[in-house]
Amino acid sequence: MSHDLNERLNQILPKLTSPDVLANKGSGGEIGFWIFDYPPEDEMAVRTFLQEVVLPALTRHQPTIRVAAVNLFDLVIALLNERKLLDKAIEMQRAQGDAKTLESLRRVLKEDKLAERLVAQHDIAELDLLILWNVGAVYPMLRTHTLLSALHAHMKDKPLVMFYPGQYDGYSLRLFSRLKDDHYYRAFRLVA
């Protein structure tokens, strides 16, 4: 892990507990969507930091910060299991390849339906903060810019932070710092 990443990781907790994030102040009236982007090769270090430092500190914070951290890969796998499609998708991938499997899964893994499922599992009104992580593991089954757009209607005044293995320049997302996604300009970088 680079010195720069270490410095950025150490800025996460003060930023997440700040009024700017929690009360959506300073966001020009926009909904408080924040992205922490990082080099994809540092995925395991970021994941460890999130799980071992950030989340425990948020639960101990005074006043209490009610947070839900959603592993997007687990969300997708649970949905496929629930619909008894996971084994079928694995078999289809073996027999017919990636493209056919992804085409078939797109009908099930629509971002608006996943957004509805996510908010049904977590009472957004009772949260102070929603965190999304493990974004890279769901590519190409799920498009993050579309999921964020679908979540806008559900989040109201609640902030959302997405941990993103790639680059976000304030206008577009580049997953794994290579794959250009559609423009997404309604989020703010959590840490520069």
Side-chain angles (χ1 to χ4, degrees):
M1 177 169 47
S2 72
H3 178 69
D4 287 344
L5 179 64
N6 197 34
E7 285 181 13
R8 291 184 70 233
L9 289 173
N10 288 325
Q11 294 177 49
I12 292 172
L13 200 54
K15 188 75 173 176
L16 290 182
T17 57
S18 73
D20 286 352
V21 170
L22 291 175
N24 289 329
K25 291 183 180 173
S27 60
E30 281 286 329
I31 193 165
F33 280 27
W34 304 85
I35 295 176
F36 181 81
D37 60 339
Y38 54 91
E41 59 271 16
D42 291 323
E43 172 68 28
M44 296 313 293
V46 172
R47 188 181 298 186
T48 299
F49 191 82
L50 174 65
Q51 293 173 327
E52 294 180 4
V53 177
V54 173
L55 294 175
L58 288 173
T59 60
R60 291 188 309 266
H61 188 271
Q62 292 300 319
T64 302
I65 297 175
R66 300 163 301 172
V67 62
V70 177
N71 178 330
L72 290 177
F73 183 75
D74 287 349
L75 181 73
V76 167
I77 294 300
L79 175 64
L80 293 175
N81 270 328
E82 183 180 291
R83 304 226 9 220
K84 299 184 181 358
L85 294 173
L86 182 60
D87 292 335
K88 290 177 185 175
I90 292 169
E91 186 52 41
M92 178 183 272
Q93 192 276 333
R94 280 188 204 130
Q96 298 180 29
D98 294 339
K100 184 71 173 168
T101 305
L102 287 172
E103 179 184 325
S104 179
L105 288 176
R106 286 300 308 146
R107 291 179 228 140
V108 177
L109 298 176
K110 292 252 185 222
E111 286 83 356
D112 58 337
K113 299 295 181 197
L114 281 171
E116 289 171 10
R117 180 180 180 88
L118 194 150
V119 298
Q121 290 178 348
H122 304 281
D123 186 356
I124 299 300
E126 295 299 316
L127 291 179
D128 297 311
L129 178 65
L130 178 67
I131 294 175
L132 302 178
W133 64 282
N134 210 3
V135 170
V138 294
Y139 178 82
M141 297 178 288
L142 181 64
R143 304 304 289 224
T144 52
H145 76 281
T146 309
L147 178 62
L148 290 175
S149 293
L151 283 166
H152 269 265
H154 300 285
M155 293 303 294
K156 310 238 184 293
D157 63 344
K158 303 299 178 176
L160 176 147
V161 176
M162 182 173 68
F163 283 76
Y164 189 79
Q167 297 171 333
Y168 180 61
D169 62 9
Y171 301 102
S172 61
L173 297 159
R174 292 183 62 87
L175 189 62
F176 309 127
S177 299
R178 294 176 182 196
L179 306 171
K180 190 169 183 178
D181 215 336
D182 285 347
H183 291 293
Y184 189 80
Y185 54 87
R186 295 183 76 180
F188 305 93
R189 286 188 79 205
L190 184 68
V191 175

